[in-house]
Amino acid sequence: TASVSNRCIKCGVRSLENHSGHRSLDFLSNGDPISLINPNSSSPITMAAATSESGSKSSKRVCLFHSDETRDLAERIVAKSDCIELRSINWKKFDDGFPNLFIQNAQGIRGQHVAFLASFSSPAVIFEQLSVIYALPKLFVSSFTLVLPFFPTGTSERMEDEGDVATAFTLARILSNIPTSRGGPTSLVTFDIHALQERFYFGDTILPCFESGIPLLKSRLQSLPDSDNISIAFPDDGAWKRFHKQLQHYPTIVCNKVRMGDKRIVRIKEGDAEGRHVVIVDDLVQSGGTLIECQKVLAAHGAAKISAYVTHGIFPRSSWKRFKLDTKGDPAEGLSYFWITDSCGMTVKEVMNKPPFEVLSLAGSIASALQV
Amino acid sequence: MSENAANNIMETKICTDAIVSELQKKKVHLFYCLECEELARNIAAESDHITLQSINWRSFADGFPNLFINNAHDIRGQHVAFLASFSSPAVIFEQISVIYLLPRLFVASFTLVLPFFPTGSFERMEEEGDVATAFTMARIVSNIPISRGGPTSVVIYDIHALQERFYFADQVLPLFETGIPLLTKRLQQLPETEKVIVAFPDDGAWKRFHKLLDHYPTVVCTKVREGDKRIVRLKEGNPAGCHVVIVDDLVQSGGTLIECQKVLAAHGAVKVSAYVTHGVFPKSSWERFTHKKNGLEEAFAYFWITDSCPQTVKAIGNKAPFEVLSLAGSIADALQI
């Protein structure tokens, strides 16, 4: 009888949390929530739970696990919120190269909200992280959230020929196979997924939450001394489709790629760069060839300054070194700023304190997403 | 007229029998991962009904796979198989990407041949917080999309722990095969003057294989902890005067086999050989078994492995005491199920 009563009350509390924050807060601060649901109940466990929730002002306590690569970002996230605490995993290997993994304090996370901060920076690290991701929701957790700031394999997400293998879909399938925790399906938090249709690659067994790094860029642009002279340039139609609604109060320039023989030339399709500080915006950068071509074209059309923003700075084989700081006031020779987020931890380590690069951290956005 | 009719009927019957016999065999299109190319060719050589197909295995600059399945249209309505080798975590994702796509190409059936099911060294939870990566692998495999012809068949040889067969969900049909018939056939070729008996290095191996080798006398060893050391002891059986063949499903660094060999020799074995289905041998640990040229007596007379771990097969070449018993025939048969 007591357990049934507890379960009923728990359900009630959860449904109230779906209402407006004000209503929920008001209810929890009432001081006598039990009487509203079940006047006859006097269970001390329920009282303690309700009191605890009331004290935390509706914020969930979250236990955050992370991979080796995402340790730094995990620490930044924890610094953003008193409700998030860091947890440990032992990442070791057997002689044959397969992972030997141990989740520390596994019993201690029973009944807790749990998150894992992943980074699939190469195919070689997918299996070990996946092993942890598949294990965590089975440990009697209240809920499980997978934070994957960069959803990789963005360069192979469509089938142009029968026989093409869309590895982005493979990864979505693998993630859709995450076991459902006692608290329900896994939430998946990812930032600026490469192609908009990729949100439909996930099965209904997982709840994808698509976030963006663009608010960080807007905040940064507003703090620039020439913030009233900013124009946004999109390197192609794809980037325009992705971001134009979020940046619509800036004048925009759209470039496109034109094939001339074997070459691919970048041209300005619409918009005017003359005298402006132009910020090229895209979701990711690989070797950077397209951005450099855009920079040249914009400079040739009279841009006063050029900067760039990408959410995901992948930069394989240290290709970030191609980008120089504009030290002589000539935008054709260098950038004023190159903003990236910390979604790709290895790039952050390499470019730290190297102008024109500047890292805008996703920590605050992730901390907020963990409260959803 | 009646004579002609009788002849026609007989001819028809013979033709019909031949046709039925042929039709009962499926034509199978076999794809394979890069490191399994040699085994794939050997499988195709075993049967006229198996044809090899190719995949372009490339990478983008960021390290992620750039894959293309050739002749994707032509396998519609055909029986298709993929020969996989998850020799390291780094190659799992590219092969899984192909494995998840093949059954979606309107194939008549799909079979995944995974001779060695890896992560065998961690398949149980001794403590809350252990991560049983073998179960992760089984989950990934169980997530293979169902083809139009039904669930995927998964062919695995000598899976490390018997309970692992229950790790697979009902969306795939696991088929557990063994390399032991190759061993028994090979043992029959040894000189009759040699008295061959079988030794198991531990109870686990005995549980796995004793029924398959029950016409040989057996020796069972056991590991005993003495302080920090793990000593191998003879638990039951008598190796005196015999050629002893140690049988296990896999070998890693080989320490256990070497300890067994010493114990068996100390108890009077005339010769010691070994068989494992899966020669994993991380970090070239197979080298400790090769016959040295420094005059020392050879430790193992023979060391049989199968070709379930292609990288090992390639590395050991033809160095004594190693001998490779190919799974090609057994796989060709499995593809007809």
Side-chain angles (χ1 to χ4, degrees), chain B residues 105-179:
Chain B
L105 297 175
F106 297 95
V107 300
S109 75
F110 180 61
T111 299
L112 169 63
V113 183
L114 181 60
F116 173 47
F117 184 78
T119 77
S121 44
F122 215 40
E123 74 281 350
R124 57 183 183 265
M125 290 178 69
E126 293 173 354
E127 192 176 349
E128 199 80 356
D130 275 332
V131 180
T133 48
F135 192 47
T136 301
M137 179 68 71
R139 265 197 180 113
I140 293 173
V141 169
S142 297
N143 198 32
I144 298 174
I146 297 178
S147 75
R148 193 170 64 168
T152 295
S153 307
V154 181
V155 182
I156 292 170
Y157 284 80
D158 288 327
I159 199 164
H160 181 55
L162 290 177
Q163 77 271 8
E164 284 179 43
R165 67 168 52 226
F166 302 113
Y167 290 7
F168 295 90
D170 288 335
Q171 295 92 265
V172 291
L173 296 165
L175 174 64
F176 298 100
E177 298 277 6
T178 177

Side-chain angles (χ1 to χ4, degrees), chain A residues 233-235 278-282 291 294-295 298 306-310 335:
Chain A
F234 298 108
V278 181
V279 179
I280 308 170
V281 174
D282 207 347
L291 288 187
C294 277
Q295 177 194 349
L298 292 164
I306 301 175
S307 296
Y309 164 88
V310 298
L335 300 175

Side-chain angles (χ1 to χ4, degrees), chain A residues 223-278:
Chain A
S223 70
L224 293 179
D226 58 351
S227 60
D228 56 349
N229 192 38
I230 302 286
S231 293
I232 301 294
F234 298 108
D236 53 40
D237 282 337
W240 178 84
K241 288 172 184 166
R242 296 292 317 290
F243 297 123
H244 75 103
K245 280 190 153 68
Q246 298 186 67
L247 293 160
Q248 61 194 345
H249 55 289
Y250 290 94
T252 60
I253 299 162
V254 182
C255 302
N256 60 8
K257 297 165 193 165
V258 184
R259 232 166 299 274
M260 304 213 329
D262 283 345
K263 293 182 180 177
R264 295 173 82 199
I265 306 293
V266 174
R267 283 181 182 167
I268 294 186
K269 190 175 81 158
E270 58 189 82
D272 183 8
E274 184 70 36
R276 308 286 291 182
H277 178 178
V278 181

Side-chain angles (χ1 to χ4, degrees), chain B residues 30-47:
Chain B
L30 179 62
F31 293 86
Y32 51 91
C33 67
L34 281 173
E35 44 182 279
C36 283
E37 181 169 359
E38 185 170 350
L39 176 52
R41 292 191 188 287
N42 292 338
I43 294 166
E46 293 279 339
S47 169

Side-chain angles (χ1 to χ4, degrees), chain A residues 352-363:
Chain A
M352 196 72 77
N353 298 319
K354 291 187 168 71
F357 292 97
E358 187 180 309
V359 179
L360 310 176
S361 180
L362 296 172

Side-chain angles (χ1 to χ4, degrees), chain A residues 5-286:
Chain A
S5 176
N6 286 341
R7 199 169 299 152
C8 178
I9 291 170
K10 195 177 290 183
C11 289
V13 170
R14 188 178 301 148
S15 71
L16 279 169
E17 282 169 358
N18 291 331
H19 291 38
S20 69
H22 175 75
R23 175 83 62 87
S24 174
L25 183 58
D26 190 48
F27 167 78
L28 288 173
S29 65
N30 181 291
D32 188 16
I34 297 171
S35 65
L36 296 184
I37 297 174
N38 183 353
N40 296 326
S41 170
S42 60
S43 165
I45 296 174
T46 304
M47 173 66 78
T51 302
S52 173
E53 289 197 42
S54 180
S56 68
K57 300 178 181 178
S58 302
S59 296
K60 293 190 304 193
R61 292 201 67 78
V62 179
C63 301
L64 179 63
F65 292 87
H66 57 86
S67 68
D68 275 342
E69 272 178 42
T70 58
R71 171 190 302 278
D72 290 345
L73 177 51
E75 284 167 359
R76 281 178 226 125
I77 294 166
V78 167
K80 288 283 180 179
S81 171
D82 288 336
C83 298
I84 303 173
E85 58 179 302
L86 218 54
R87 293 301 180 103
S88 285
I89 293 166
N90 297 349
W91 304 91
K92 290 181 287 190
K93 284 194 190 331
F94 292 107
D95 280 344
D96 61 1
F98 272 81
N100 179 3
L101 310 168
F102 185 78
I103 298 166
Q104 291 186 26
N105 197 19
Q107 287 182 335
I109 57 173
R110 290 177 177 177
Q112 306 296 314
H113 297 289
V114 167
F116 180 79
L117 179 60
S119 172
F120 297 150
S121 59
S122 108
V125 299
I126 290 175
F127 183 73
E128 61 190 37
Q129 291 176 64
L130 196 62
S131 295
V132 169
I133 290 163
Y134 279 2
L136 282 168
K138 300 282 279 190
L139 297 175
F140 297 96
V141 299
S142 284
S143 73
F144 180 62
T145 300
L146 171 61
V147 183
L148 181 61
F150 172 48
F151 185 80
T153 78
T155 44
S156 185
E157 76 279 350
R158 57 181 182 265
M159 291 179 69
E160 292 174 355
D161 269 318
E162 198 81 354
D164 272 331
V165 182
T167 49
F169 191 47
T170 301
L171 187 54
R173 259 192 185 119
I174 288 174
L175 297 181
S176 298
N177 198 32
I178 297 174
T180 302
S181 74
R182 192 169 66 167
T186 294
S187 305
L188 167 67
V189 178
T190 194
F191 286 79
D192 290 328
I193 200 163
H194 181 56
L196 290 177
Q197 77 271 8
E198 286 179 40
R199 65 168 53 224
F200 301 112
Y201 290 6
F202 297 92
D204 288 335
T205 48
I206 192 170
L207 296 166
C209 175
F210 298 99
E211 299 279 358
S212 176
I214 297 297
L216 299 175
L217 172 64
K218 290 163 72 172
S219 191
R220 184 72 182 87
L221 293 180
Q222 283 164 27
S223 70
L224 293 179
D226 58 351
S227 60
D228 56 349
N229 192 38
I230 302 286
S231 293
I232 301 294
F234 298 108
D236 53 40
D237 282 337
W240 178 84
K241 288 172 184 166
R242 296 292 317 290
F243 297 123
H244 75 103
K245 280 190 153 68
Q246 298 186 67
L247 293 160
Q248 61 194 345
H249 55 289
Y250 290 94
T252 60
I253 299 162
V254 182
C255 302
N256 60 8
K257 297 165 193 165
V258 184
R259 232 166 299 274
M260 304 213 329
D262 283 345
K263 293 182 180 177
R264 295 173 82 199
I265 306 293
V266 174
R267 283 181 182 167
I268 294 186
K269 190 175 81 158
E270 58 189 82
D272 183 8
E274 184 70 36
R276 308 286 291 182
H277 178 178
V278 181
V279 179
I280 308 170
V281 174
D282 207 347
D283 62 312
L284 65 79
V285 60
Q286 294 253 10

